[in-house]
Amino acid sequence: MFNKRIKIKQLLLLEPGSQQVTVMGWVRSFRNTQFIALNDGSTNNNLQVVAELGKFDEAILKRITIAASLKVTGVVIPSPGKGQKLELKATVIEILGDSDAEKYPLQPKKHSLEFLREIAHLRFRTNTFGAVFRVRHSLAFAVHQFFNERGFVYLHTPVITASDAEGAGEMFRVTTLPAQNPPLTDDGTINYKEDFFGRATNLTVSGQLEGELGATALGEIYTFGPTFRAENSNTPRHLAEFWMIEPEMAFCDLEDNMNLAEEFIKYIIRYAMEHNPDDLAFLAQRLADEEKQLPQDKRSELGLIEKLDFVLNNDFERITYTQAIDILLQSPAYKKKKFQYEVKWGIDMQSEHERYLVEKHFKKPVIVTDYPMDIKAFYMRRNDDGKTVAAMDILAPGIGEIVGGSQREERLDKLLQRMEAMHVPAEELWWYLDTRRFGTVPHAGFGLGFERMVQFVTGMSNIRDAIAFPRTPGSAEF
Ligand code: ATP
Ligand code: MN
């Protein structure tokens, strides 16, 4: 009869009036052999359970240790103590699982985020990660709600793919061939014909190409799944395994694409703010405390909640790549030689440049459009100037690039030209090119990195703290 329990989140909303309830959860602390702070993961707010002195066996009380799991039946009464409206006066306490307090790795004190990463199997039990993962859930749910409300079809694109033509990043090979002495071809290379799929395969870096196949028949689709990049970049914004949301829309140009992306970002932020106010308030306080240790000029100007409110209530800035480069060239930072990397038209902007635009110059999210053709993927639609493509990146304060998207090249001849120039093998992508051969349409889409979004909303500065079990170079524990 476990479903007879009430979750602490619901219980805390009751008007205390001697209702009898049963709760279950884990002990966060036990004071004066009388006051148990019980948490069941439904909220960061603990329930105060009172075990009246003299009412319970010594043997039971001894087993109420940090992290032990309990089933408590009692009555909900107004709390005379400070800090809570109500408390649970226990009538029956049952120990579901003991916990050796001496050996428990999470002591009731502040642990660093680095340390918590080493015990990621237990970090859900901290207030910080409880809040992060409830917010992450809300954002994920809001993603589906947003697209569902607009009639998009959720398309599951493959995780294992044979196309290595996208050029988005280094790929992880998927193979069942033996690592030692794999079968070889006559010229001494590995013979993937003998591999499981009869060819070389990889984990996907993006579902976009398959997404385009769906969109050019179903109209509007989105994907939301794991993507993999074996990029050896140890940064606070890159994971080897991350979740990406990729909508793809037929009958859609770059401007429609930007409008949708901006509306989408605002929608999921608003959803989390409406559904997780306590968690966000906790995370805002955590961030403020963390930033107190930074020098004044490194602290954020706005608190977390103010930042999110600001994003909701203001239009994103929209500028072209060419304008962005001009702003950088005119900037005091450039004149004082503060940028480590070169600035000139044609560069792939580095994180320092993106952050300057967003954090120093505009102080709000910025959509940069019309990038030089040569630094973008082959499928982006060529602009009439012959030099740029209809691409758009959305840059967010503290994160940098959060969305990358474009209008796609729907003209077969132009697409083939680009593929040839960029050495993308057209024969391998025959299925992709068929969309341009049979009823091609203007279409567009984008990819949003879900963990970067979670970072933005929760204020966690390292992407490893925005996913339950981060995979990064040299690290795949748990
Ligand atoms: P970056 O320049 O930051 O590496 P990218 O240009 O490689 O990004 P895209 O290929 O456009 O990114 O991917 C779409 C989105 O996926 C990005 O805007 C970002 O939000 C996210 N993303 C890309 N690579 C990673 C990664 N390694 N870990 C987490 N998120 C990522
Ligand atoms: Mn990248």
Side-chain angles (χ1 to χ4, degrees):
M1 292 296 276
F2 281 98
N3 61 2
K4 277 279 166 65
R5 77 180 170 113
I6 180 169
K7 289 198 181 176
I8 289 173
K9 185 177 180 185
Q10 265 78 48
L11 195 160
L12 292 175
L13 296 172
L14 296 179
E15 267 316 310
S18 302
Q19 305 93 322
Q20 172 160 322
V21 296
T22 297
V23 294
M24 296 177 210
W26 295 269
V27 175
R28 283 283 173 90
S29 68
F30 188 28
R31 282 188 299 121
N32 305 341
T33 56
Q34 209 181 156
F35 302 109
I36 307 165
L38 196 72
N39 189 283
D40 69 357
S42 61
T43 163
N44 266 351
N45 302 315
N46 298 328
L47 172 67
Q48 168 145 298
V49 175
V50 184
E52 273 183 291
L53 289 175
K55 274 211 166 166
F56 296 90
D57 278 356
E58 261 320 286
I60 286 275
L61 294 175
K62 276 221 176 78
R63 293 168 65 196
I64 303 177
T65 53
I66 186 163
S69 49
L70 308 185
K71 173 179 178 182
V72 182
T73 300
V75 289
V76 184
I77 57 167
S79 177
K82 283 200 301 267
Q84 65 266 329
K85 178 177 88 173
L86 55 78
E87 60 190 29
L88 187 69
K89 193 167 126 195
T91 43
V92 186
I93 299 178
E94 191 185 317
I95 311 282
L96 297 175
D98 290 289
S99 163
D100 183 342
E102 306 270 284
K103 298 212 174 104
Y104 187 56
L106 267 179
Q107 292 302 316
K109 60 163 198 169
K110 223 173 149 34
H111 292 291
S112 72
L113 295 172
E114 289 78 12
F115 171 73
L116 291 174
R117 262 171 238 147
E118 289 167 19
I119 52 163
H121 61 304
L122 296 177
R123 68 179 177 167
F124 301 106
R125 301 172 177 216
T126 63
N127 283 334
T128 297
F129 287 95
V132 166
F133 289 106
R134 281 186 299 269
V135 171
R136 182 179 163 115
H137 162 77
S138 283
L139 290 169
F141 188 82
V143 166
H144 290 296
Q145 184 165 294
F146 176 86
F147 289 116
N148 186 52
E149 280 173 0
R150 284 159 187 74
F152 283 59
V153 173
Y154 180 23
L155 189 71
H156 297 93
T157 52
V159 168
I160 299 174
T161 73
S163 67
D164 65 350
E166 230 226 304
E170 294 290 316
M171 305 214 271
F172 289 99
R173 175 122 301 165
V174 175
T175 180
T176 53
L177 293 179
Q180 306 228 308
N181 305 319
L184 299 179
T185 59
D186 292 343
D187 57 18
T189 56
I190 294 176
N191 186 1
Y192 286 105
K193 286 213 174 73
E194 292 191 26
D195 205 345
F196 188 90
F197 296 105
R199 60 198 300 174
T201 51
N202 305 288
L203 293 178
T204 185
V205 294
S206 157
Q208 182 201 316
L209 300 188
E210 290 92 350
E212 286 185 53
L213 310 180
T216 51
L218 296 162
E220 294 179 319
I221 65 93
Y222 70 106
T223 70
F224 185 178
T227 37
F228 307 86
R229 295 189 187 178
E231 44 198 358
N232 210 349
S233 41
N234 241 318
T235 78
R237 317 179 296 128
H238 288 90
L239 291 164
E241 176 178 303
F242 65 100
W243 287 68
M244 187 146 63
I245 296 136
E246 296 181 277
E248 192 70 35
M249 295 77 68
F251 319 111
C252 180
D253 66 12
L254 189 67
E255 196 177 343
D256 300 319
N257 200 19
M258 287 191 275
N259 292 343
L260 185 85
E262 181 169 343
E263 193 187 334
F264 171 59
I265 289 174
K266 289 178 174 173
Y267 182 99
I268 63 177
I269 292 176
R270 189 173 295 113
Y271 186 93
M273 292 182 81
E274 280 168 12
H275 291 80
N276 300 72
D278 291 356
D279 289 325
L280 289 173
F282 177 86
L283 291 166
Q285 187 57 50
R286 190 207 71 81
L287 185 63
D289 292 344
E290 183 184 88
E291 289 198 345
K292 275 192 201 129
Q293 293 157 32
L294 297 174
Q296 196 81 41
D297 65 319
K298 291 265 159 58
R299 296 182 202 167
S300 324
E301 284 174 32
L302 298 178
L304 182 63
I305 308 285
E306 292 80 53
K307 176 188 83 176
L308 297 176
D309 269 328
F310 181 82
V311 169
L312 291 188
N313 296 320
N314 287 281
D315 291 340
F316 293 5
E317 195 69 38
R318 298 183 184 194
I319 56 167
T320 65
Y321 169 91
T322 304
Q323 289 167 327
I325 294 294
D326 284 343
I327 291 170
L328 292 173
L329 289 173
Q330 305 293 324
S331 68
Y334 179 76
K335 289 180 182 152
K336 289 189 207 139
K337 301 200 169 22
K338 287 255 173 79
F339 293 130
Q340 190 188 339
Y341 293 91
E342 186 186 22
V343 180
K344 65 168 199 219
W345 200 94
I347 58 158
D348 200 355
M349 277 190 276
Q350 298 291 322
S351 159
E352 58 175 355
H353 306 134
E354 298 180 341
R355 294 188 74 153
Y356 179 84
L357 290 171
V358 173
E359 287 158 31
K360 294 276 179 325
H361 191 83
F362 290 111
K363 299 185 194 286
K364 56 153 114 165
V366 178
I367 312 185
V368 182
T369 61
D370 304 296
Y371 281 79
M373 187 163 75
D374 292 332
I375 58 170
K376 288 291 184 184
F378 73 91
Y379 49 71
M380 298 193 179
R381 192 177 197 276
R382 184 174 189 157
N383 288 327
D384 292 340
D385 63 12
K387 296 190 309 194
T388 60
V389 286
M392 63 117 178
D393 280 3
I394 303 186
L395 314 177
I399 309 287
E401 181 187 331
I402 194 160
V403 161
S406 67
Q407 185 171 340
R408 319 305 187 190
E409 183 57 82
E410 84 283 11
R411 298 161 297 187
L412 182 62
D413 56 332
K414 298 234 166 31
L415 183 58
L416 286 170
Q417 268 173 26
R418 237 8 241 156
M419 289 171 77
E420 196 179 325
M422 296 177 80
H423 309 290
V424 178
E427 326 74 66
E428 277 180 32
L429 288 179
W430 61 273
W431 46 272
Y432 180 72
L433 294 169
D434 268 4
T435 55
R436 274 61 169 179
R437 291 193 179 105
F438 307 111
T440 192
V441 288
H443 63 288
F446 62 84
L448 173 123
F450 188 54
E451 284 73 21
R452 292 197 190 167
M453 192 68 213
V454 173
Q455 276 191 279
F456 185 69
V457 175
T458 60
M460 302 305 285
S461 55
N462 194 311
I463 199 165
R464 292 164 180 78
D465 300 326
I467 188 167
F469 301 107
R471 268 79 182 98
T472 52
S475 161
E477 186 78 328
F478 311 109

